[in-house]
Amino acid sequence: MSNKKEISRRRTFAIISHPDAGKTTLTEKLLLYGGAIQVAGAVKSNKIKKTATSDWMEIERQRGISVATSVMGFEYKDTMINILDTPGHQDFQEDTFRTLTAADSVIVVIDVAKGVEPQTEKLVKVCRMRKTPVIVFINKLDRPGKDAFELLDELEQKLGLHVTPLSWPVGMGGNFKGVYNIHSKRLNLFQAGSQVVEEVIEFDDLTNPDLENYLGEQAGELREDQELLAGVYPEFEKADYLDSKISPVFFGSALNNFGVKELLDNFIQIAPTPLGRESDLRFVEPEEDSLTGFVFKIHANMDPNHRDRIAFLRVVSGTFKRNTNYLHVRQNRKLKFSSPTAFMAQKKSVVDEVFPGDIVGLHDTGNFKIGDTLTEGEQLHFKGIPSFSPEMFKYIENADPMRSKQLAKGIDQLMDEGVAQLFTGKHTNRKIIGTVGALQFEVIQYRLEHEYNAKCRFEPIRLYKTAWFVSDNKAQLEDFRKRKASQIAVDKEGREVFMADSPYALQTAQDKYTDIRFYFTSEFEG
Ligand code: G4P
């Protein structure tokens, strides 16, 4: 039996933003529409405040929240919506990249006063690479900010997106009157406060003098803007958006719940239904009958007495069923799950069936690592969940010789969770931890101690970047290995990496060894 109907009513997406742009507030308002939460303030911000980088409790608190809000499912107008939460803190960027692999589209939140910020740039770059359809929500219109035309330019220049506004603001800050929906030709009038019902007036023809009654002098402004827009921005075509060739832009204020319903109503109409995924064997379509899925996130139990974890599986095709045997492809063994959990309305509940586009939480005793694939027997692996070359490195040493086994196990499991990457010097056998942010070192040390009862110590290493390398030129490869012996390590899968201590060293190696291919993400060559 095909899941066509279930697939067509599902939308799985992530909201991304630079911290403080309003991601949490928007998420919360969206959940209100789904009746998933009753009161505002129920979605806790999962950002680690900048001041709290050394606060262990803050890290723990964040982990507790992030398991609760990793996936938020709700139903709205017969559409099943799965919002995937992404960590706000930039040190957890890699988590966000991985979460994006499980999303079929994204909504980018931009602060009207700040415009495009650095983290938005990085995240959207990844979306563009993956050809993920992007909707932009420009937030905080109740505050003074940048001119709307200027913002659209910024989106194009800094994010490389081709945009077309679907709604347009009339004023902002103290003069904010509302937004005009270009597509449906309706004017939404702004009223501060968390009202759910917006005052919407049809305005097919903006030359109608009635517009002055609503907008006063600003009516002229809106007319002029619309004329300008029509000449510059293309008509919105859903197919172009789905092809990630164009990004529709909406304006509003999440805090005031203004423009959010409009965003949601448009979203469910245009956003992609669950998409298939590329694997090493073939492209897997969601409508296929047999189950496939991949793990994009692993979350350790908060209770140190239970070392079990939750693996988050994105179902790609088929139906995931409780108590059914599935093949864990990497380990080549069958596993079944008695209590798979779904994430609806921020509650976890055991489910019997899970459809493509959905995320299911699997209780795991250490079998999974990020990127693992489950199937009904086919030996395929999903692609597109790479590790990126880390940006910070430290040697990790055992600080309690009596507990080296615990340390090794702890490191192993934390790496499987994707907290950081481990490299082992070929020459020295010393272990090196590579991360994308400084905070991970603290997380590792803390979690090793509290969950594995092991102590570690970090020592500095002068290292600029690691690059995976391969070549068909055996002689060159041998020469490189010999000359750079002290700078070669292996990753957890036993693949060789070059540890360049400076940009110069990397450049000279690339210049000299022209037959060697250097890679900065773990997924290369097939
Ligand atoms: P984030 O998840 O993207 O990091 O942002 P979050 O939603 O936590 O919002 C960051 C701040 O911006 C919050 O204020 C929030 O209330 C505010 N905000 C969000 N949307 C709007 C909006 O449309 N208009 C205005 N004026 N403010 C908005 P805060 O003071 O940092 O936090 P809180 O104490 O209010 O929670």
Side-chain angles (χ1 to χ4, degrees), residues 147-187:
D147 171 68
F149 283 103
E150 191 189 325
L151 279 167
L152 295 184
D153 280 352
E154 219 178 294
L155 294 174
E156 299 217 318
Q157 276 156 24
K158 289 197 178 162
L159 299 181
L161 295 174
H162 292 294
V163 297
T164 195
L166 282 193
S167 71
W168 193 253
V170 185
M172 62 176 65
N175 291 326
F176 184 48
K177 290 279 163 29
V179 295
Y180 178 64
N181 187 318
I182 300 170
H183 203 59
S184 63
K185 303 200 186 308
R186 287 158 188 235
L187 182 67

Side-chain angles (χ1 to χ4, degrees), residues 59-175:
I59 293 170
E60 283 295 275
R61 197 185 62 83
Q62 139 98 26
R63 289 180 53 221
I65 292 167
S66 71
V67 77
T69 59
S70 285
V71 183
M72 290 162 279
F74 67 98
E75 204 166 334
Y76 175 73
K77 295 189 176 172
D78 203 33
T79 306
M80 271 293 312
I81 299 173
N82 294 309
I83 305 182
L84 306 181
D85 192 34
T86 55
H89 198 285
Q90 63 165 2
D91 285 7
F92 292 93
Q93 236 177 74
E94 202 161 348
D95 279 3
T96 301
F97 295 157
R98 285 191 292 252
T99 298
L100 289 178
T101 65
D104 298 310
S105 72
V106 302
I107 294 180
V108 181
V109 184
I110 307 265
D111 181 328
V112 69
K114 297 195 176 135
V116 171
E117 296 175 85
Q119 213 165 316
T120 325
E121 271 184 70
K122 282 193 192 160
L123 295 170
V124 172
K125 201 169 152 194
V126 175
C127 294
R128 283 185 31 232
M129 237 166 64
R130 303 179 44 80
K131 294 206 175 355
T132 306
V134 172
I135 292 177
V136 180
F137 182 73
I138 300 196
N139 189 28
K140 306 196 188 179
L141 264 289
D142 58 316
R143 286 210 188 143
K146 296 188 180 184
D147 171 68
F149 283 103
E150 191 189 325
L151 279 167
L152 295 184
D153 280 352
E154 219 178 294
L155 294 174
E156 299 217 318
Q157 276 156 24
K158 289 197 178 162
L159 299 181
L161 295 174
H162 292 294
V163 297
T164 195
L166 282 193
S167 71
W168 193 253
V170 185
M172 62 176 65
N175 291 326

Side-chain angles (χ1 to χ4, degrees), residues 17-25 45 47 139-143 252-256:
S17 76
H18 192 89
D20 280 343
K23 182 170 68 70
T24 311
T25 313
S45 171
K47 61 194 162 185
N139 189 28
K140 306 196 188 179
L141 264 289
D142 58 316
R143 286 210 188 143
S253 166
L255 189 63
N256 290 287

